[in-house]
Amino acid sequence: MSRFLTTTVHISAAILTKSRSPVYLSPSFFSPPHFTSTYHRLPKFRRIICIRAVDSSSETKSDGVSSENQEDKVDSKSELDDNGSLKGNVDDYPSGESEFEKPGAWKSFIVKLRMLIAYPWQRVRKGSVLSLKLRGQISDQVKTRFSSGLSLPQICENLIKAAYDPRISGVYIHIETLNCGWGKIEEIRRHILDFRKSGKFIIGYAPLWGEKEYYLGCACEELYAPPSAYFSLNGLTAQAQFLGGVLEKVGVEPQVQRIGKYKSAGDQLTRKNISEENREVLNTLLDNIYGNWVDKISQAKGKKKEEIESFINEGVYQIERLKEDGWITDIKYDDEVISMLKKKLGIAEEKKLPTVDYKKYSRVNRWTVGLSGGKDKIAVIRASGSISRVRGPFSSPSSGIIAEQFIEKIRIVRESKRYKAVIIRIDSPGGDALASDLMWREIRLLAESKPVVASMVDVAASGGYYMAMAAQTILAENLTLTGSIGVVTGKFNLGKLYERIGFNKEVISRGRFAELTAADQRPFRPDEEKLFEESAQNAYKQFRNKAAFSRSMSVDKMEEIAQGRVWSGNDAASRGLVDAIGGFPRAVAIAKHKANIPQERQVSSMLLS
């Protein structure tokens, strides 16, 4: 096979989005004729961020807000029993749970001095409320001041800064329909709970929401909604769409090789209905996501799980019921909530509530609020989007993983002595197989000289997981879509379509298999089909064997959990594909642990993205 390009199958699934937006469940390595990939270039800039000291204890805490903010711990290189479950832990990873440290008198004085000399764009009026509007897409990349949209690292960073900023009295969050996966939702929710430890208020307002938005809102100290709010708490669904019948009618025959019985990416093109294997995967993912949602909501609201499920199954649509049953604090319009905040802060009703928005507050330096980092440095490399080997001519500047650029960053970090450890943040459904392998090799080389932690966000499947498995330690969120160790490749036979529209194509070639992918006007010959299948099988075996090698697992054991299957983060952890459950703070704590940096010592991270 001359090359593998990428196409991703959109499965419009309310597993992640209540059917409002597509989600990648089975990304593929797919290279049909007339399909082109759009390559994306990452912006080059660096930013220094300090990481606050984190708790090194791995024991579960149950007091106050922290009881709901605990990670399920699954640790590295654990032995598996015959059922694939963990038998024991070799390493005891730090939890990475944040602990709010009230600054002393001297530090408070220093912070006030820093605020006096801060640049004008970093000045905030005393007593201000940080205003966050969470809606639409959320990227795992850091945005520049000229970029639009929300950035997960900046949302989390703003909440950390606001907790320590004496000028910020509290946070007011507007929550509407979100277009992101559950991994990002979990990270934001964790930071909301961490912010509450500061003792400052954090109020939510949700005019338009479903399960995902409520999952964030119920983590706030109080949650309000207007009387006309659009809300839906009816449960979650998974949907799979198929083009097999459509392509048949227009005279297009997809000739697909799918290696791995759970690798469902090609199904959208070839099938007219869902396969039993795909149904099994979707049911399992749906069970995990729904179960996690019910569990966390029951903890937040102090209700039994049975009560939560009973409420969902009632089909409640009256906003008054939400208030009566304690799902929201009260029914109020935005202006009424603002009036309430003025009263809380002792501001006269006729005066304006002092607020600072998300974008402006993102420009406030952490140093200004006393969160300067230490001498020890950890490199952070963010990798989001589909994977391509090189940048294409029509690439957009802000999305996608370009292997050439990513490898350049890896080599810079590897050759530098300034970094004690590396965190690679991965949010990718996969893509180019060759590019994925080249990045795997470079990450593997990096891991020979420095501790490398892979921190996976919404999805790390196919090529995304290929990258992650080169790291020494892999973290995922509870619901990160993980694995999909399999291969899909194919071409389209457009012969019938060409005949219908009166188009003719003649191919003159030299070499027995020269027309393998070039001849799209006819199906494969038997010998071509055999070669195509063998090539795909070889690609799968390379992927599977490297996954087994990377995870210190036998090939037979890896084969049981590969087969193109997508797992949730928790299920992947119990099968050895993931070492621990947690987000970026825990990745930092583990990187410090691996680099022999004391947990109480602050570190600085250099963000290369």
Side-chain angles (χ1 to χ4, degrees):
M1 194 117 10
S2 61
R3 61 177 181 171
F4 291 89
L5 294 181
T6 176
T7 191
T8 28
V9 175
H10 288 215
I11 296 184
S12 182
I15 282 180
L16 299 187
T17 59
K18 286 281 292 176
S19 303
R20 287 191 290 265
S21 63
V23 53
Y24 300 108
L25 288 182
S26 294
S28 64
F29 300 144
F30 190 70
S31 153
H34 305 292
F35 269 46
T36 57
S37 284
T38 302
Y39 300 94
H40 306 287
R41 182 178 184 180
L42 296 172
K44 284 192 176 182
F45 61 93
R46 297 182 183 178
R47 185 173 180 179
I48 301 177
I49 298 178
C50 81
I51 305 300
R52 195 70 182 167
V54 291
D55 180 21
S56 61
S57 170
S58 59
E59 296 179 0
T60 301
K61 299 187 178 180
S62 58
D63 55 304
V65 179
S66 64
S67 63
E68 200 182 338
N69 191 26
Q70 203 50 86
E71 307 301 341
D72 300 319
K73 185 164 71 65
V74 184
D75 293 329
S76 174
K77 303 299 179 279
S78 303
E79 295 182 25
L80 302 175
D81 61 21
D82 293 336
N83 297 319
S85 300
L86 291 173
K87 291 168 63 178
N89 298 326
V90 176
D91 293 327
D92 189 18
Y93 290 141
S95 70
E97 186 180 356
S98 171
E99 292 293 339
F100 181 78
E101 300 174 5
K102 188 174 181 179
W106 173 250
K107 190 167 186 177
S108 296
F109 175 72
I110 294 298
V111 168
K112 289 178 181 178
L113 285 180
R114 290 177 178 178
M115 290 177 177
L116 286 174
I117 62 173
Y119 291 113
W121 55 84
Q122 294 189 11
R123 292 176 185 170
V124 176
R125 182 178 170 183
K126 187 176 180 180
S128 291
V129 175
L130 173 60
S131 175
L132 291 177
K133 292 187 177 180
L134 302 182
R135 63 169 174 247
Q137 292 187 342
I138 300 178
S139 169
D140 193 56
Q141 297 288 354
V142 173
K143 302 280 188 179
T144 68
R145 69 183 64 177
F146 305 109
S147 304
S148 60
L150 295 170
S151 161
L152 176 65
Q154 286 167 310
I155 291 170
C156 298
E157 185 184 348
N158 278 355
L159 289 171
I160 294 170
K161 290 186 298 186
Y164 287 91
D165 193 335
R167 302 168 299 182
I168 299 295
S169 299
V171 178
Y172 184 34
I173 304 181
H174 276 239
I175 307 171
E176 297 186 28
T177 306
L178 292 164
N179 182 14
C180 66
W182 285 95
K184 294 189 181 80
I185 295 294
E186 199 76 62
E187 188 88 70
I188 296 171
R189 189 173 192 271
R190 185 182 300 112
H191 279 80
I192 290 174
L193 294 171
D194 285 343
F195 178 86
R196 290 181 61 177
K197 297 174 186 178
S198 69
K200 299 178 181 181
F201 68 81
I202 182 164
I203 306 296
Y205 177 76
L208 178 64
W209 46 281
E211 280 79 5
K212 187 182 297 181
E213 294 74 26
Y214 185 74
Y215 192 73
L216 286 181
C218 72
C220 296
E221 182 182 346
E222 299 173 12
L223 178 63
Y224 298 91
S228 54
Y230 288 134
F231 71 93
S232 173
L233 293 176
N234 300 323
L236 302 174
T237 64
Q239 301 176 13
Q241 300 172 347
F242 302 95
L243 297 172
V246 176
L247 296 177
E248 182 181 291
K249 289 182 180 296
V250 299
V252 175
E253 178 193 6
Q255 295 192 284
V256 174
Q257 286 293 335
R258 185 187 70 174
I259 313 301
K261 67 178 181 178
Y262 292 103
K263 194 71 176 180
S264 59
D267 289 0
Q268 188 185 42
L269 301 175
T270 59
R271 294 184 62 91
K272 299 177 183 178
N273 51 30
I274 193 169
S275 67
E276 288 305 311
E277 294 82 5
N278 194 14
R279 186 184 300 276
E280 179 187 345
V281 170
L282 294 181
N283 271 313
T284 302
L285 290 172
L286 197 56
D287 284 342
N288 287 336
I289 295 168
Y290 184 68
N292 180 78
W293 189 88
V294 170
D295 184 57
K296 292 292 180 67
I297 300 303
S298 68
Q299 290 179 33
K301 307 312 294 182
K303 298 176 182 288
K304 294 180 179 179
K305 294 180 184 179
E306 294 77 12
E307 292 181 76
I308 302 294
E309 293 190 80
S310 176
F311 187 89
I312 293 295
N313 293 333
E314 278 188 57
V316 174
Y317 56 87
Q318 306 97 328
I319 191 76
E320 293 78 10
R321 279 290 309 277
L322 297 182
K323 178 184 176 182
E324 290 170 10
D325 289 11
W327 287 75
I328 62 175
T329 306
D330 203 352
I331 302 170
K332 290 182 181 293
Y333 285 104
D334 179 45
D335 65 286
E336 293 176 306
V337 178
I338 291 175
S339 295
M340 182 192 71
L341 292 178
K342 288 179 183 178
K343 188 175 181 181
K344 181 188 285 283
L345 297 174
I347 299 172
E349 180 61 34
E350 64 273 11
K351 292 188 176 181
K352 187 177 180 181
L353 180 72
T355 61
V356 54
D357 64 27
Y358 154 85
K359 198 157 189 176
K360 180 180 178 181
Y361 198 66
S362 295
R363 300 173 68 184
V364 173
N365 196 302
R366 293 178 62 125
W367 176 86
T368 305
V369 297
L371 295 175
S372 53
K375 293 181 179 179
D376 296 314
K377 292 181 172 57
I378 294 176
V380 179
I381 303 175
R382 296 184 181 271
S384 300
S386 60
I387 298 169
S388 303
R389 190 174 61 85
V390 297
R391 184 170 62 89
F394 303 107
S395 303
S396 67
S398 59
S399 62
I401 303 169
I402 310 301
E404 271 189 347
Q405 296 176 354
F406 182 86
I407 288 170
E408 181 184 347
K409 294 181 179 70
I410 291 290
R411 289 177 177 173
I412 290 172
V413 173
R414 190 175 79 225
E415 293 166 4
S416 174
K417 295 182 180 179
R418 66 192 305 192
Y419 304 112
K420 296 290 184 67
V422 184
I423 297 172
I424 300 177
R425 286 278 285 183
I426 299 172
D427 191 19
S428 172
D432 190 309
L434 171 59
S436 302
D437 186 58
L438 296 178
M439 291 188 292
W440 174 89
R441 173 63 177 173
E442 294 295 331
I443 297 171
R444 192 82 190 177
L445 291 174
L446 175 63
E448 291 177 1
S449 60
K450 290 179 174 67
V452 179
V453 178
S455 174
M456 308 191 303
V457 193
D458 283 342
V459 56
S462 284
Y465 184 74
Y466 206 125
M467 296 170 62
M469 69 190 190
Q472 295 155 332
T473 309
I474 302 178
L475 276 80
E477 294 286 0
N478 286 314
L479 302 176
T480 300
L481 300 179
T482 306
S484 191
I485 301 169
V487 172
V488 174
T489 186
K491 77 162 190 175
F492 286 142
N493 169 23
L494 306 177
K496 290 184 179 179
L497 175 63
Y498 288 168
E499 184 178 340
R500 288 179 182 178
I501 64 176
F503 179 79
N504 184 40
K505 180 177 180 179
E506 299 288 344
V507 179
I508 301 172
S509 61
R510 297 293 184 275
R512 180 180 175 185
F513 296 108
E515 298 181 14
L516 186 67
T517 56
D520 59 358
Q521 81 283 9
R522 63 170 177 81
F524 285 128
R525 300 190 311 260
D527 60 334
E528 289 175 327
E529 188 169 14
K530 181 182 178 183
L531 176 64
F532 204 76
E533 180 182 0
E534 289 174 350
S535 176
Q537 286 283 0
N538 181 63
Y540 171 69
K541 289 176 182 177
Q542 287 184 347
F543 191 176
R544 179 203 61 195
N545 293 352
K546 283 186 178 178
F549 168 72
S550 300
R551 301 304 299 158
S552 302
M553 195 181 296
S554 70
V555 172
D556 290 341
K557 177 59 72 174
M558 179 56 69
E559 178 68 16
E560 294 175 12
I561 56 179
Q563 293 286 325
R565 178 154 187 167
V566 177
W567 304 94
S568 68
N570 262 331
D571 283 349
S574 69
R575 288 162 175 80
L577 294 175
V578 167
D579 296 307
I581 298 299
F584 186 71
R586 193 171 194 194
V588 173
I590 292 175
K592 290 164 71 173
H593 172 71
K594 294 290 185 181
N596 296 317
I597 301 171
Q599 289 297 315
E600 64 274 8
R601 186 186 301 173
Q602 293 186 26
V603 296
S604 296
S605 70
M606 287 288 292
L607 179 60
L608 290 83
S609 59

